Structures are given as C-alpha cells and as structure tokens.
Amino acid sequence: SSDVCSSDLIMIIVNLIDGETQWDDDICIMSELLKSLYYEDIDLSRGETKHREKFDLNFVSKDIAEKYENICKAINDKFEKKELFDMLDYDDVNKLFKVLNLANFLDNAELIKLIDEKITDEIQEKPFSDIKKMYNLNDVDISEDLQNQLNLFDSVSMPLFETDSDEIGRAHV
C-alpha cells in the first residue's frame, strides 16, 4: 500500500451559476454537508473514495466560490486572524454576506465563526449610524422600536477607563 499523494485526492466538481470549479479534499472536508455526501465511511489515507459526481451550487457565482475557496485555504494554512480578516475585506459588503451564506449552506462552522468574529470586531464601539453605512442598512430594514433603542445607545457614552469616582460604570448622557 502506497501513501496517497495530493494528485490522488478527490477533486469535487462544483456547478455554479456561471460555470464550474473544482475543490480538493482540504476545502470539501471543512463543510459538514460535503463531508457527509462524499467522505463519510471512507479512509482517505488508503485512497478510498465515494462517487465523483458534480455538486450543484447553481445559486453561487464563480467569484464567490473563489473567495470561499481562498479563505478556506488560508484557514487550513493557519494564517493569522488579522490576515484572514483582511482577506474578508471585499470592495462590496454584500460579497462578505454571500460568502457567509455559502458557508452556512455548506455548514462550514469554522468559516461562519471567523466571519462572525470579523463583523463583531468591526462593529464594536461604533455608533449605529456608522454601522448602518458600513453594512448598507436602511431605516426600512429596522423596526421603529429597534431604531429608538439604537438611537438611545448612540446618545449614551460609557467611560473608557476607570476613575476614582463612584460614578464608575454609569452611563453619562
């Protein structure tokens, strides 16, 4: 029995809106969906494979599939978190959410967590008005109740550091 070299690995062909692409094992096994379809009950180290049918993602463009593949490769290559966050800085915020939708559909928990951390990092300590601009949110997207709550938060500032005052932790309006 010989060791499996990279050329022996499964390449799953993925049908997209505007063509097709191929993903290797390292990308596919990050997805619980693809893992269950193509990799359960097999031993990759012994060269075992399941069927090599095409996988339909005909709601995804090549551009988004490529972004998904690149960030997955970077995760597998153990890039630093800042480098991964930088890779997720797209010219259009909608692309980030399309990659997130794909990660969600494929059940890629590691990528979902990374995008969640990036968004959380971006919106911390920013006024809601900046977040609305950053994520192209309209007032139509937000209920009046929520809008009022968020405006209240915008008008409240918290001390950034402790003082000797007994006012520590209280909001100052």
Side-chain angles (χ1 to χ4, degrees), residues 81 85 112-122:
K81 189 169 287 188
F85 281 3
I112 293 168
K113 181 178 180 230
L114 178 71
I115 294 172
D116 175 57
E117 289 173 2
K118 176 184 176 42
I119 292 170
T120 301
D121 188 62
E122 284 181 344

Side-chain angles (χ1 to χ4, degrees), residues 79-139:
F79 280 38
E80 294 292 324
K81 189 169 287 188
K82 180 175 180 347
E83 292 175 288
L84 295 171
F85 281 3
D86 289 346
M87 287 182 72
L88 291 168
D89 281 336
Y90 304 127
D91 57 335
D92 176 3
V93 72
N94 290 321
K95 290 181 182 179
L96 176 66
F97 289 104
K98 287 178 181 181
V99 172
L100 177 60
N101 286 340
L102 179 55
N104 187 47
F105 178 79
L106 294 173
D107 196 8
N108 182 334
E110 198 169 355
L111 182 52
I112 293 168
K113 181 178 180 230
L114 178 71
I115 294 172
D116 175 57
E117 289 173 2
K118 176 184 176 42
I119 292 170
T120 301
D121 188 62
E122 284 181 344
I123 65 174
Q124 282 184 338
E125 300 182 26
K126 281 197 169 83
F128 182 65
S129 55
D130 290 353
I131 295 168
K132 280 174 55 175
K133 286 179 199 158
M134 186 183 310
Y135 291 103
N136 299 324
L137 299 175
N138 299 315
D139 289 337

Side-chain angles (χ1 to χ4, degrees), residues 41-57:
D41 306 322
I42 65 168
D43 183 354
L44 287 175
S45 67
R46 294 192 337 205
E48 294 178 8
T49 63
K50 277 192 174 181
H51 49 83
R52 296 173 189 249
E53 295 174 12
K54 291 183 178 184
F55 184 74
D56 282 325
L57 285 177

Side-chain angles (χ1 to χ4, degrees), residues 159 161-172:
F161 49 88
E162 292 186 20
T163 66
D164 290 334
S165 162
D166 58 3
E167 298 285 317
I168 295 173
R170 287 206 186 146
H172 300 283

